Structure formats: C-alpha cells, structure tokens
C-alpha cells in the first residue's frame, strides 16, 4: 500500500515538473524573460504545492481505506471466534449434561443393586428362619403323636381310623339336619304357593261374578243402529245415561251394546228402553226421556 502511494506522488510531481518546464520555456522564448520567469516560478510552486497536497490527501484516503478494511476483517474474525467460542461452550455444556446424566444413572443402578442385595439377604434370612421353624414344628408334631400314642395306647393308624369314624358320624348327623331343614323349607314354600293359587282363583272367580252382576248386554240386528243410539255429538247416548243412571258402552263389539251399572233395576230399565226405542225408530233426547219414564213406571208396578 505504501509503494502504491509513492508511485502516485512521483507521477503527480513529474506532471507538475513538466508543466513548470512548459511555462518556463514559453516565457523564455516569448521575449519576457525576467518578469515572466518569476511568474512561471510562482505558478510552478503553486502547482507543485497542489500536487503535494493532493498526494497527501490521496495518501491519507488510502490509509483510511486500509484501516477500514483491517477493522472489518478484525470484526469478522472476532465474530467468527465468538461464534466458535459459543459453539464450543454449548458442546462442552452438552457433554457435561450427558456426563451428569450418566453419573446419575450409574448411582441409581448402584443403589438398586445395593437394595436388591439387601432384599436378597433378608429373604435368605427369612427362608432360613422358616426352615428352622418347620423343623421345630415337625419335631414337636412327632413328639405330640408319641405322647398321644402313649396316653391312648393307640397307634397312629388306629387313632386315624377312630378320627375318620367320628367325622363320618358327625357328617351324617349334619346331613340329616340339612335334609330336615330342606324339607321344612319345601313345605313352607308349598304352603305359600298353594295359598297364592287359592287367592288367585278366588279373585278371578269374584271378578267374573262381579262382571256378571254389573253388566248387561243389549243385542241389536245391525251395527248401523249404534249411530242412531249415539246421536249427533253424542246427545242421544248422554240423554239415555242421564235418564237411566247407567253407563252405555258402544264399542267395536259386533251387534251388541253394553250396559254397565251396579243397580240391576237401572240396567233393566235401560235395556228395555233401548229395546222400545230401537223398535219405534224415533230416537232423540225428548223421546228417550219419555220412554225411560214409562219403562221405569212399568217396572215399579210389577
């Protein structure tokens, strides 16, 4: 960079010298040697000074540019180094975390192994204790059997046979008791079922008898007559029910009208009134009241 600036300064100085020589020659050959020479020298100095100033300015500019480039490269280098440092730190942290995790796993495994060893040792100790207790119990049982044989003067086989016979007798007694309980329970259930059947029969018979005593049927030749008995908007049947005090049921039963009521006299009054109304053919509220009244009086006179 310094050599380049030097070359530029030399070039500018050479140009200034050429200009100065040109001016000096011009004034010398023009016949104005004294005064013109002085002017030429002044002009040459001015040009030389300007060239020097420009050279210095250019040199400074080149130096500043070089410094800027150096600073940029330095900043880029520092940035790269910082990034590398951060990456290295992150890698180190990751490695440390993995090491900590691995150490923790190793510690856990070691603790589990110690716990398993303790459990195994405790289990072996308990098994040994159980074996000891079993041996003691077996020995005590043998001693107990020998004492029983000595007291009862029975062998183990004889004692076993007596025990079986005793248990068999107890089982038979228990079985007989269960058999009696089952038989008693069966009798109780049978009595309950018999009572239910009797009550159901009585209720059904009573219901059938009640129906027979509360319902009368008036037979008609054709279902077309039902419409006349009902009347427009039910006026005729309402008038008949009001006059007789019974319920007239006109349903889908073919060629029949049901008369329902607890009073047999009223039912008969309604039946005879219907019979006369159908035979007469004139069925309307006024006629119904008239026929019902006549029928009631006839029944009372009888």
């Amino acid at each position: 960079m310094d050599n380049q600036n030097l070359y530029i300064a030399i070039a500018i100085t050479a140009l200034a010298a050429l200009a100065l020589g040109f001016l000096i020659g011009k004034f010398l050959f023009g016949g104005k040697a004294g005064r013109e020479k002085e002017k030429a020298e002044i002009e040459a100095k001015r040009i030389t000074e300007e060239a020097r100033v420009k050279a210095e300015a250019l040199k400074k500019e080149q130096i500043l540019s070089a410094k800027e480039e150096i600073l940029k490269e330095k900043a880029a280098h520092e940035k790269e180094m910082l990034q590398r440092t951060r990456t290295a730190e992150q890698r180190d942290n990751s490695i440390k975390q993995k090491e900590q995790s691995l150490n923790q796993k190793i510690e856990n495994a070691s603790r589990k192994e110690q716990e398993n060893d303790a459990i195994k040792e405790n289990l072996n100790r308990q098994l040994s204790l159980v074996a000891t207790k079993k041996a003691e119990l077996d020995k005590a049982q043998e001693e107990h059997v020998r004492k029983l044989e000595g007291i009862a003067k029975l062998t183990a086989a004889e004692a076993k046979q007596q025990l079986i016979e005793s248990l068999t007798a107890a089982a038979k007694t228990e079985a007989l008791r269960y058999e009696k309980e089952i038989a008693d329970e069966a009798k109780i259930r049978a009595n309950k079922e018999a009572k239910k059947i009797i009550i159901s029969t009585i209720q059904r018979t009573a219901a059938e008898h009640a129906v027979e005593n509360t319902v009368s049927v008036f037979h008609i030749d054709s279902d077309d007559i039902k419409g006349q008995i009902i009347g427009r908007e039910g006026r005729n049947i309402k008038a008949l029910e009001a006059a007789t005090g019974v319920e007239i049921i006109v349903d889908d039963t073919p060629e029949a009208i049901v008369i329902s009521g607890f009073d047999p006299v009223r039912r008969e009054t309604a039946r005879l009134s219907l019979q006369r109304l159908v035979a007469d053919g004139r069925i309307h509220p006024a006629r119904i009241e008239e026929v019902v009244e006549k029928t009631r009086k006839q029944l009372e006179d009888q």
Side-chain angles (χ1 to χ4, degrees), residues 282-299:
R282 293 177 296 167
I283 304 175
H284 52 80
R287 178 63 178 166
I288 290 171
E289 292 178 0
E290 180 183 351
V291 172
V292 170
E293 186 64 26
K294 289 181 179 180
T295 304
R296 183 181 292 112
K297 287 182 179 181
Q298 289 178 358
L299 290 175

Side-chain angles (χ1 to χ4, degrees), residues 45-63:
K45 288 180 180 180
R46 185 184 64 78
I47 293 172
T48 302
E49 183 64 20
E50 287 181 357
R52 187 186 64 77
V53 171
K54 289 182 179 180
E56 290 293 332
L58 182 60
K59 182 179 178 181
K60 289 180 180 180
E61 184 179 353
Q62 293 294 329
I63 292 172

